[in-house]
Amino acid sequence: MFRYFPTNYVWNLSVDLAIEMGARMGEIEEMCAPLQDAAKQPDAAGSKAFRETWAQMADKLCGLAEEDEAAGRLLSAGEKYNRAATYYLTCERLQAHGAAGREELYQRFLQTFARGIELSRENCERVEIPYEGKHISGLLVRAEGVDGPAPILVQVNGLDSTKEMKYRVGLPAWLAKRGVSSLIIDQPGTGEALRLHNLIARYDSEHWASRVVDWLETRSDVDAKRIGLEGVSLGGYYCPRAVAFEPRFACGVVWGANHDWRDVQKRRLEKEGSFPVPHYWAHVCWVWGAKDVDEFMTIAENVHLNGVLDRIKVPFLVTHGSKDSQIPLKWAERTYEQLVNSPKRELKIFTEREGGVQHSSFDNSINAGHYIADWIAETLGGRTA
C-alpha cells in the first residue's frame, strides 16, 4: 500500500484509489505536499484542506482543457477532464454529509466526467433505469468484437464508492476486451442515488437488483441468460444477497467479501479495524437513513449472509486481499463455506505475489482485476485470448 500520509489510513486509501483511477504522480505530489500537517487534524478541518488542494488541481486541469478545446485538440482536452473528474470526486468523497458546497462539487464532478468521456470517445454511455418513481443511473460499456446479444456483468458499489470510480479502476474495459459488457450502477445508498435522489441503502438488495435485470431483459444487445453480478467492498454483501434471491443472475463475484457487516460495525464501535471515510458514523447514518448511531446499529443487524447463501445455485467467485485492513479474511472464508449449492465456487485470496492484498485490492488492482475478468469471461462465455 502506498502511504503518502504515514498516520492517516483514510487519506492514503483515497490517494491510492485516485492512482488506480489514473491520477498522475506529479499531480499527486503537488496536491498532497501542502497537506502533511492537515493530515493530522480532526476530520472537518483536514477534509476541508484536502478539498481545497485537490479541487484547485481539478480547476487548473479544466482550464487547460478549455484551452485545448479552443484549439480543436479535443482528445487532449478529454484526457484532462478525465483526471480533473477523478480529483473532484476524490475530494468530494471525503467531505461530511451536508458540508457547505458538497453538492455543487459533486455536480461539477458529474459534468466534468461526462465531458471527458465525450471528448475522449470512450466506450461508455450513461443510462437511467426506472426505480421507485426515480431512477438508478448507470454506465454501460459494450463488449468488443461481439455480434448480437452479449453477456454482461452488472457491477455495484460498496459503502462509499461510485460507478465512476469502479469504471475508472478498469474492470469494465478489461471485460470489454474479453467480449463481456458491463453495467456499473449507483445503487440505492451510493453515488447519485443517495446524493441527488435520496435513495437510501436497503439490506434486501434483490429489491433494486431485480429491477436492473428487468431493464436489461428489454435490451437487444444483452443476452438475458448471461447476466452476472459483481460487488466491491460492501457490495460483497449486496451481491451475494441479490444473487441468492434473484435467480436470473447467471453468476456472482465479490471483490472483497463482506459476510457479516453487522459484526464489522460492532468492532468499529470498539475502535477495531480501519474506517473507509472520515465522519464515518455520520456517513453510515446518511447512507442507511438512520437518525443516529443507535438506529443505524439496529438496521445493521440485518446486514449479514448467514442463512442466505445456500439459495445460490450458480457459479460464484469470492475474492479477498490477504492483508485487508477493513474486513477480516475470515469473512471471505465464511462466504465460501456457505456456498454449498453453487456448482462452481471458488475462493481466491490475493497475496503479495500477485498484489492486491489490501481492501478490495485498492493498493494494486490490475492483477486481481484481470483474474476476476478472466473468471467472468470463462463463466459467461467470453474470451481470454
Side-chain angles (χ1 to χ4, degrees), residues 197-309:
H197 304 299
N198 198 33
L199 291 171
I200 60 173
R202 50 190 303 160
Y203 78 92
D204 54 343
S205 53
E206 68 275 11
H207 186 274
W208 47 260
S210 293
R211 302 293 79 76
V212 173
V213 176
D214 290 344
W215 183 82
L216 286 172
E217 287 186 331
T218 69
R219 297 186 61 92
S220 61
D221 56 349
V222 171
D223 183 342
K225 300 298 184 183
R226 294 188 288 166
I227 300 173
L229 182 64
E230 178 265 352
V232 64
S233 190
L234 184 53
Y237 163 78
Y238 292 131
C239 169
R241 167 80 197 200
V243 174
F245 287 93
E246 175 46 80
R248 289 177 292 176
F249 284 116
C251 69
V253 178
V254 297
W255 197 344
N258 228 318
H259 187 90
D260 195 332
W261 200 63
R262 61 181 176 175
D263 182 78
V264 172
Q265 306 320 299
K266 293 172 184 176
R267 302 288 78 77
R268 285 175 174 169
L269 281 175
E270 297 170 2
K271 305 296 191 284
E272 294 180 18
S274 300
F275 289 157
V277 289
H279 324 279
Y280 178 77
W281 296 109
H283 183 81
V284 293
C285 288
W286 176 37
V287 167
W288 292 90
K291 67 178 182 295
D292 54 31
V293 174
D294 287 340
E295 184 179 8
F296 162 69
M297 292 301 291
T298 299
I299 294 170
E301 281 295 317
N302 293 308
V303 189
H304 67 89
L305 295 169
N306 292 324
V308 168
L309 299 179

